[in-house]
Amino acid sequence: MSTCSTVSHDLDEPVSGTAATARTWLLLEQPGPWGAKALTASHLDPALGHALEAAAKDTGVRIALIRRPGRHADSGTPTTRQVYAAHTVPGNVWLHSATTRDPRDLLGLDLAALGSGDHSGFDAVLGGGPHTGDPLALVCTNGKRDRCCALLGRPLAAELAASGVEGAWEVTHLGGHRFSPTLLVLPYGYAYGRAETHAVKEVLHSVQEGRIMVEGCRGNSAWERPGQAAELAVRTAVREYAAEALTVVRTDGAAPHWEVTVAHTDGRRWRVLVAQTASLPPRPESCGASVLGSPARMDVVGVRELRTSTALAS
């Protein structure tokens, strides 16, 4: 059976620079089935879903629903729900958790503050605090958005959970169905495509040691797509895998050409040239697409380390 993910895999479409963009992730546990737009098409009150969507607009916060891997028959309204908030910008990376009996409590959050990296409101409103468990492994399994996410994502999530990965959750949407199974790892916010169980375990082991694996990585959600590709290119070029070592400090230009400045915590800087091109030949961008498309791809065409005087001037 040909799906958008098999075609993408067969055409060897690169995954770098394709991660969903969010400085902060806000995750709410919602068991049961999910519709294509899960915040307003699940067993969560649709009015609440609409209100949360509106509140999150232009704040840098991306809200998603999560559920534990397994069967998703309606088991009634949960008495308590898990809530997570994670900020992914290097230098201020954190993951906090809380529980709530009423998801309407989330309407009391200052999402602009959350998007800027301030977790004090989350802690005050929900009684939250730093997450002390394993990193979160969020696998997209929403088959109502794309069947690949269900066909490939759900078995991965189930296998991770069965093998003792305590941070394994299913999540509603990470974008890039054609890279299924797709995965987001928190707290650092790096996304992965075409994920396999053994590789995910390696990724999670690295995260526990404060390191990032670049193989199969789509990018850090803290950056826009050109920045994602640029940061990964620098990591690969200089073999820098410390999670918070690199920051995208500047992006000049506009599609289809950018100059991205990537800075290291030790003072080094690089200028990375990124070009947006079309993936050819045309292919289905998702299994639900009625026409073939040529999805944009981020190609790194140059990486140059800046001299100290040049770096300071930029």
Side-chain angles (χ1 to χ4, degrees):
M1 176 179 63
S2 180
T3 62
C4 67
S5 59
T6 57
V7 172
S8 176
H9 182 274
D10 291 346
L11 292 174
D12 198 25
E13 183 181 353
V15 302
S16 175
T18 67
T21 302
R23 293 192 304 273
T24 301
W25 292 82
L26 179 60
L27 309 170
L28 171 64
E29 183 178 5
Q30 177 56 60
W34 296 333
K37 295 183 177 180
L39 269 181
T40 54
S42 68
H43 290 178
L44 185 70
D45 178 1
L48 172 59
H50 280 296
L52 289 172
E53 282 183 340
K57 188 175 181 182
D58 299 324
T59 63
V61 176
R62 188 177 178 111
I63 303 175
L65 302 181
I66 57 173
R67 64 191 176 196
R68 284 298 189 184
R71 293 177 56 85
H72 304 308
D74 183 9
S75 56
T77 303
T79 54
T80 60
R81 302 169 189 251
Q82 186 69 47
V83 187
Y84 294 104
H87 191 61
T88 62
V89 178
N92 186 30
V93 168
W94 49 260
L95 172 60
H96 281 220
S97 63
T99 58
T100 182
R101 291 180 173 272
D102 186 350
R104 289 175 294 184
D105 290 342
L106 272 63
L107 293 175
L109 297 175
D110 181 344
L111 296 189
L114 205 58
S116 69
D118 180 1
H119 54 68
S120 60
F122 178 87
D123 295 347
V125 172
L126 298 176
H131 173 67
T132 57
D134 292 340
L136 302 188
L138 305 161
V139 182
C140 184
T141 62
N142 191 349
K144 288 294 171 56
R145 288 197 73 97
D146 192 283
R147 62 179 175 170
C148 286
C149 297
L151 291 172
L152 301 173
R154 288 191 65 188
L156 173 63
E159 193 170 346
L160 289 173
S163 63
V165 176
E166 294 182 4
W169 290 87
E170 298 186 8
V171 67
T172 46
H173 184 45
L174 298 177
H177 321 294
R178 62 192 184 280
F179 303 121
S180 293
T182 60
L183 171 83
L184 175 71
V185 179
L186 295 175
Y188 297 116
Y190 285 82
Y192 292 82
R194 304 182 186 128
E196 299 179 0
T197 302
H198 67 90
V200 173
K201 289 184 175 180
E202 285 186 48
V203 167
L204 295 174
H205 179 70
S206 295
V207 166
Q208 287 177 315
E209 297 183 342
R211 294 183 294 108
I212 298 302
M213 284 190 61
V214 298
E215 186 175 355
C217 190
R218 300 175 63 193
N220 184 341
S221 76
W223 318 127
E224 298 293 335
R225 292 184 62 186
Q228 294 173 13
E231 188 239 29
L232 288 176
V234 172
R235 282 192 179 280
T236 300
V238 302
R239 298 183 180 181
E240 176 56 80
Y241 307 118
E244 295 187 72
L246 299 178
T247 301
V248 174
V249 294
R250 182 169 173 169
T251 301
D252 296 310
H257 298 287
W258 297 269
E259 287 191 358
V260 181
T261 305
V262 178
H264 194 289
T265 51
D266 66 10
R268 285 179 293 165
R269 290 194 174 205
W270 295 264
R271 184 147 298 153
V272 184
L273 304 182
V274 181
Q276 177 179 302
T277 59
S279 297
L280 297 173
R283 78 286 307 276
E285 294 191 50
S286 70
C287 289
S290 56
V291 296
L292 299 181
S294 300
R297 53 184 278 176
M298 297 290 134
D299 291 328
V300 172
V301 295
V303 177
R304 178 170 63 92
E305 184 171 353
L306 301 176
R307 295 178 181 175
T308 304
S309 58
T310 307
L312 291 174
S314 66

